[in-house]
Amino acid sequence: MNILVVRNDKLGDFITALPSFYVLKHHNPSNRIIALVAPLNQKLAESCDFIDEVIVDSSEDILALAFKIKEARIDASITLFSNTRVALAQWIARIPIRIAPATKIAQIFYNRRIKQRRSEVKMAEFEYNLELTKALFPDITLDFPKPLLQFQGADEVYSAFCSEYGVNKPIIAFHPGFGGSSDANWTLKEYVELVRLAEADKRVDVVMTFGPDEEKLYNEAKLLLEESRVILYRSLGSVVDFAKLLSTFKLFVSTSTGTYHLASAVGCETFTFFADTLFASASRWKSIGEKQHHFMIPLNPKGRATMYEKVKQELKNRLLELV
């Protein structure tokens, strides 16, 4: 069976879909699993051995997208997050079985509509995604390995990084940028304070990572850490290369972004900051990996300050245990 799985939004959202791809492939290895993804997730999708083919949604018009889908000869589709354009394209492509959550006007173009009420956050996003696979295979097993993403060549990427930056100790990484659905974070100065706390432990090397579109943040951090041994690293290569590097880190500290989801998916331990709201909470956006530590940042200043002190203490404790 040729099965199309649609998750054509941001990096973190796509990573929450990966367990669904995995269980569909392993339910019956003869299933051909086809991913419809955004351009930024193409390389990552192509690196997964449980995804057989990748269709890139380049935001073309509905007919062009429908033609791409029709060419793949799809027997069934599972749309994990829908909009009218994607729904209509699948209807035009005449996919026989079209599964999606029963939300929004787009649901009229699907013939298996599943009530989920994700806004109630009765489970995490990746668990809602997994539940949709049962609409196609009621007896499917929803277990998946952790870490789910494992790449050949990670040791070579790590060795090159260590050689370039003079690293010879376990790495603790901080990612101060915003992204995805995140709407709570510490200021850059607060991150710098956390970084200096980690830097004081001479048994570790400390890295701050920045995405390709975070040059301004990178330059601001560079000024604040002028006389420091902290490594400032801009990830300018592929998501897959960055994932390989993340898999070698001991701890990754960030807000709830796609980068956090990537770090967790490759097996890196995480300290992650979430807004103290149900929509943006860890209950909804916990990642697919193990060794996760979640911190909800209150909206009120007093609660925020208290939480920050807790994070500092937890970081000190974890450093003692890690090395």
Side-chain angles (χ1 to χ4, degrees):
M1 177 181 280
N2 291 342
I3 304 170
L4 177 71
V5 181
V6 179
R7 190 84 210 210
N8 57 334
D9 38 4
K10 295 180 180 179
L11 174 62
D13 301 294
F14 174 64
I15 292 171
T16 70
L18 290 178
S20 300
F21 289 99
Y22 177 91
V23 300
L24 287 166
K25 184 64 178 178
H26 284 260
H27 180 70
N28 183 344
S30 68
N31 287 335
R32 182 168 180 78
I33 309 302
I34 301 153
L36 179 66
V37 303
L40 68 103
N41 293 321
Q42 179 181 357
K43 295 295 184 185
L44 185 58
E46 290 173 344
S47 73
C48 297
D49 59 7
F50 45 85
I51 295 176
D52 298 294
E53 183 180 339
V54 177
I55 299 173
V56 179
D57 180 2
S58 303
S59 299
E60 54 266 271
D61 63 48
I62 292 172
L63 288 177
L65 180 59
F67 180 75
K68 277 185 179 180
I69 293 170
K70 192 171 181 63
E71 277 193 317
R73 300 180 182 277
I74 307 296
D75 300 303
S77 68
I78 303 176
T79 303
L80 304 178
F81 183 80
S82 185
N83 58 43
T84 303
R85 173 178 163 275
V86 165
L88 182 55
Q90 292 179 69
W91 180 78
I92 293 171
R94 293 292 187 267
I95 297 173
I97 301 171
R98 302 182 301 281
I99 299 164
T103 57
K104 305 179 181 179
I105 194 170
Q107 68 177 287
I108 66 174
F109 297 107
Y110 299 102
N111 51 23
R112 291 193 190 176
R113 298 180 284 275
I114 313 302
K115 289 184 179 180
Q116 289 197 315
R117 305 189 191 283
R118 295 193 182 198
S119 61
E120 295 179 0
V121 192
K122 291 182 178 178
M123 60 183 79
E125 187 77 1
F126 79 84
E127 292 167 329
Y128 278 118
N129 291 337
L130 282 168
E131 281 294 310
L132 284 175
T133 66
K134 290 183 176 180
L136 186 59
F137 301 116
D139 61 337
I140 195 169
T141 298
L142 301 184
D143 296 333
F144 60 93
K146 297 178 182 181
L148 180 54
L149 295 181
Q150 300 183 51
F151 299 103
Q152 292 185 345
D155 289 344
E156 288 83 351
V157 170
Y158 177 68
S159 294
F161 179 85
C162 291
S163 177
E164 181 174 355
Y165 292 99
V167 170
N168 55 20
K169 301 168 188 173
I171 295 173
I172 309 299
F174 295 79
H175 185 80
F178 275 93
S181 63
S182 169
D183 58 4
N185 203 3
W186 306 115
T187 66
L188 180 58
K189 287 186 178 180
E190 286 170 323
Y191 266 105
V192 167
E193 187 176 345
L194 295 177
V195 165
R196 289 199 180 279
L197 187 156
E199 183 189 19
D201 190 324
K202 304 303 181 184
R203 300 169 301 166
V204 300
D205 281 317
V206 181
V207 176
M208 288 187 83
T209 68
F210 303 86
D213 58 347
E214 293 176 333
E215 185 174 3
K216 182 175 181 290
L217 192 63
Y218 169 86
N219 288 328
E220 289 172 356
K222 194 173 182 180
L223 286 174
L224 291 171
L225 291 163
E226 261 185 320
E227 297 178 10
S228 168
R229 66 184 182 90
V230 174
I231 298 162
L232 302 183
Y233 176 74
R234 291 189 68 201
S235 174
L236 301 176
S238 74
V239 172
V240 174
D241 284 338
F242 189 45
K244 291 177 182 179
L245 183 61
L246 287 174
S247 72
T248 68
F249 291 173
K250 290 293 184 181
L251 180 66
F252 189 78
V253 183
S254 75
T255 188
S256 172
T257 67
T259 313
Y260 142 67
H261 284 282
L262 187 64
S264 184
V266 298
C268 183
E269 186 170 348
T270 56
F271 265 39
T272 313
F273 312 121
F274 299 83
D276 197 5
T277 62
L278 189 60
F279 172 80
S281 68
S283 296
R284 183 177 184 192
W285 293 109
K286 68 180 180 181
S287 194
I288 65 173
E290 296 178 310
K291 299 182 292 184
Q292 301 178 53
H293 308 269
H294 302 146
F295 302 90
M296 307 284 282
I297 301 179
L299 298 177
N300 66 86
K302 185 177 179 180
R304 178 186 170 91
T306 300
M307 177 56 71
Y308 187 66
E309 292 305 314
K310 179 182 178 181
V311 169
K312 288 198 292 185
Q313 188 57 54
E314 290 290 329
L315 181 58
K316 287 179 185 177
N317 295 342
R318 198 69 197 104
L319 285 167
L320 291 173
E321 296 167 359
L322 280 171
V323 291

